Amino acid sequence: MMDARSLKIEAARVALGHVTDGMRLGIGTGSTANEFVRLLAERVTAGLNVVGVPTSERTASLCRELGIPLATLDEMPELDLTVDGADEFDPALRLIKGGGGALLREKIVAAASARMIVIADETKAVAMLGRFELPIEVNPFGLRATEIAVRRASAALGLAGPITLRMTKEAPFVTDGGHYILDASFGRIPDPEALSNRLHDVPGVVEHGLFIGLAHLAVVAGADGVRTVHAAP
């Protein structure tokens, strides 16, 4: 049995096989994405020519440390491929992301990419989204009003559960974009598309962690090896 990190490395290794010379890469955030960055750096050292757009300051720092060439999304606004992790995914390759707090930049980068590959271990596969808390990035201004509006929007779809402000010690967690995150524990989300639309209608919501229609392929490592899940055509 491989441990959790070994599973992440194996998934990252398979995803790296989709990277070709000259690619413009979106590079994700989180522990699984970090394993991809380390493997990618080995290929770059060996001569692979790629340029990456990182989805967070943490990822950018690791890439610079390991010698991966970087650009901003303004400098390179159209990408060939994004490789990123997920907090969970369903059979239709709808995702929940944002556990690491980088969901806004992750979604912008994924949307700018021709393809998105998700790398994950088997524990992230779910029959229905919602086991993992849904991160909702919000503007600090009017936080309480936004939280109330989010509760009403979710309740209209029959969703309920604790919605908490993410904290770092005694202060609110602040994203790279200067926003806060509300973590919503709905348990099960039968209609992610409807929830996505409802949340986008709340003025104080900057973005949410439902990634719908963005992932093309998931590389999933488990005790029995690596499997791939393709998005429905």
Side-chain angles (χ1 to χ4, degrees):
M1 293 286 291
M2 290 189 288
D3 60 20
R5 186 182 177 198
S6 296
L7 292 173
K8 293 174 182 179
I9 292 172
E10 195 57 31
R13 194 182 311 281
V14 173
L16 186 59
H18 292 264
V19 176
T20 58
D21 200 63
M23 271 191 167
R24 301 160 298 176
L25 287 177
I27 304 176
T29 295
S31 59
T32 306
N34 286 349
E35 302 301 346
F36 174 80
V37 171
R38 294 185 181 98
L39 293 175
L40 177 64
E42 293 176 4
R43 291 280 307 279
V44 168
T45 300
L48 179 69
N49 176 33
V50 296
V51 179
V53 171
T55 57
S56 69
E57 297 303 322
R58 283 168 290 156
T59 295
S61 178
L62 180 60
C63 288
R64 284 192 289 266
E65 177 186 333
L66 297 177
I68 297 172
L70 297 180
T72 67
L73 197 57
D74 286 328
E75 293 167 335
M76 202 165 59
E78 294 182 322
L79 306 177
D80 300 301
L81 175 67
T82 284
V83 177
D84 204 348
D87 296 306
E88 64 181 25
F89 66 93
D90 70 7
L93 284 194
R94 295 174 295 193
L95 320 172
I96 286 183
K97 290 179 54 56
L103 64 100
L104 176 59
R105 293 190 184 185
E106 288 173 334
K107 191 174 282 190
I108 292 172
V109 169
S113 303
R115 297 174 65 226
M116 178 186 186
I117 294 178
V118 173
I119 48 178
D121 63 76
E122 195 68 56
T123 64
K124 305 301 174 63
V126 296
M128 181 182 292
L129 295 181
R131 182 179 67 191
F132 191 88
E133 295 175 333
L134 175 64
I136 304 168
E137 190 161 342
V138 298
N139 197 300
F141 177 82
L143 175 64
R144 179 61 179 150
T146 298
E147 181 185 344
I148 291 170
V150 166
R151 290 184 186 278
R152 288 174 177 163
S154 55
L157 298 174
L159 300 173
I163 299 176
T164 58
L165 178 64
R166 188 178 299 185
M167 303 292 289
T168 301
K169 296 182 180 178
E170 301 301 318
F173 174 89
V174 180
T175 70
D176 286 344
H179 306 126
Y180 293 168
I181 289 181
L182 297 174
D183 287 312
S185 301
F186 293 133
R188 292 168 66 85
I189 304 173
D191 191 342
E193 289 81 1
L195 179 58
S196 173
N197 292 334
R198 292 270 187 172
L199 291 176
H200 278 145
D201 285 342
V202 176
V205 170
V206 179
E207 191 49 84
H208 57 69
L210 290 168
F211 282 51
I212 299 171
L214 291 171
H216 295 78
L217 177 73
V219 179
V220 188
D224 297 327
V226 176
R227 64 183 178 93
T228 55
V229 179
H230 293 266

